[in-house]
Amino acid sequence: MTTPDTYRRATRGAALSMPSLRRIAVITVHTSPLAQPGTGDAGGMNVYVLQTAKELAARGVEVEIFTRATSSADPASVTAAEGVVVRNIVAGPFEGLGKTDLPSQMCPFTAAVLREEANHAPGYYDLVHSHYWLSGQVGWLARDRWSVPLVHTAHTLAAVKNASLADGDTPEPLARRAGEQQVADEADRLVVNTADERTALQHYYGADPAKIDVVAPGADLAVYHPASKHAARAALGFGANETVVTFVGRIQPLKAPDVLVRAVAEILRREPGLSLRLVIVGGHSGTAEQSYSLVRLAHQAGIADRVTFLPPQPSAQLADVYRASDLVAVPSYSESFGLVAVEAQACGTPVIAADVGGLGVAVNDGVTGTLVNGHAPGLWAQTISELIHDHDRRARYAAAAPDHASNFSWSHTADGLLRSYDRALSRTALSPVLAGADRLRSRVTDLALRRQRNNRTVERAAAQR
């Protein structure tokens, strides 16, 4: 791998050995990797950023993660693991800003990121990796200022979400769509979760396929693995003979937990004596609680006593929820990958998932779970009911699930990211960065002129005294 210093020398025609990647800046503006997934805007992206940072640090690459502080109690920096530092940037009020309000805070956030780099010698960061379009806007400016490549992961795309909106959901704004287009055009590499997402980037944003890398996310297989179902049920207070169907995720229309409430209600209308429990694990996202109440829906459907609501769970406790479940359902309208599906399968639990986005990769249809083509509650009721009563098929799915999930470890993800970083740093992929070398030389010249002006000012002041 190569560093920006190598490129500056390369532009002078020097033939040098290539040093290793040393340090990267990771930008994740709207949600901290330290936040509990399932609360507010925290979700799979938080898990992705933190887990990949740990994997990269374990391989000797220092990772500094820049995120927006959301509390006055947030320290300026937190060591999340050896070699991983999270920097909490103060940009706007700590509370009361939703994701759609954050574009107004990009200037102070970006300024703080650039100032952090300015505390070090040029070339302190070898590469910028931004997550989500807001972060891509910051990363784009940092790339130009620091003369290093920008790698960007969108995680979700406005055009894809708007093409598959849930009833009553709000379309993503034009500003986001335009911002994503800018970042797709400017980034040196684009990392996507699946081949389908690569196709979406090309179709909706005209992205150059030559700069897109497919890198699947993973699961922490040291945490998510098969263990005693009986012990997990006892710990959670579930009945030994209950059939448990579980949803894990943010409570919002996009994730479609309401489809499951309606589906379970339909199953119980047909089979009122069935010992069936729906478990919903997660918190409300944004202002969804007022307009999207699953508690109210469960009461209206007459199944409030059959639905258990749990708050977002730390990973060790979440693993027990998966193990205690007979099925995990992922009915999302849009999903770039679906970490929940992989985590559940890693614990030996079959998955029923909507056949959208990356879920077709995360779930091996007919082997570790079932993909559902649509979101009609009746269709989901039929699919869930069939699996509930087909014990042999469910057992086959459960047996095959951990082996399938083993293909999606964070170690594999880190391997893919390092290959993408290497391409970003390669000379053939870095025409924008080579041009950036001139910008860096201009910056050094500007700093020198500024020092000269400051020295003259000091000299004049001394002469006047």
Side-chain angles (χ1 to χ4, degrees), residues 421-446:
Y421 295 166
D422 194 41
R423 294 182 188 111
L425 287 163
S426 68
R427 194 175 192 280
T428 55
L430 272 182
S431 55
V433 174
L434 290 173
D438 293 330
R439 290 192 292 273
L440 181 57
R441 281 193 288 272
S442 297
R443 178 186 174 194
V444 172
T445 301
D446 179 65

Side-chain angles (χ1 to χ4, degrees), residues 33-71:
L34 302 179
Q36 170 63 53
T39 60
D41 289 319
M45 192 182 89
N46 300 65
V47 178
Y48 184 108
V49 170
L50 184 59
Q51 293 297 330
T52 54
K54 288 179 178 179
E55 286 288 340
L56 292 170
R59 300 171 191 218
V61 179
E62 292 182 31
V63 182
E64 294 191 11
I65 303 171
F66 294 87
T67 191
R68 195 180 79 88
T70 56
S71 168

Side-chain angles (χ1 to χ4, degrees), residues 350 366-367 369-370 383 386-387 390-399:
V367 177
T370 298
T383 307
E386 287 174 356
L387 271 177
D390 192 339
H391 300 283
D392 290 342
R393 180 154 61 114
R394 209 166 69 239
R396 290 197 304 271
Y397 284 0

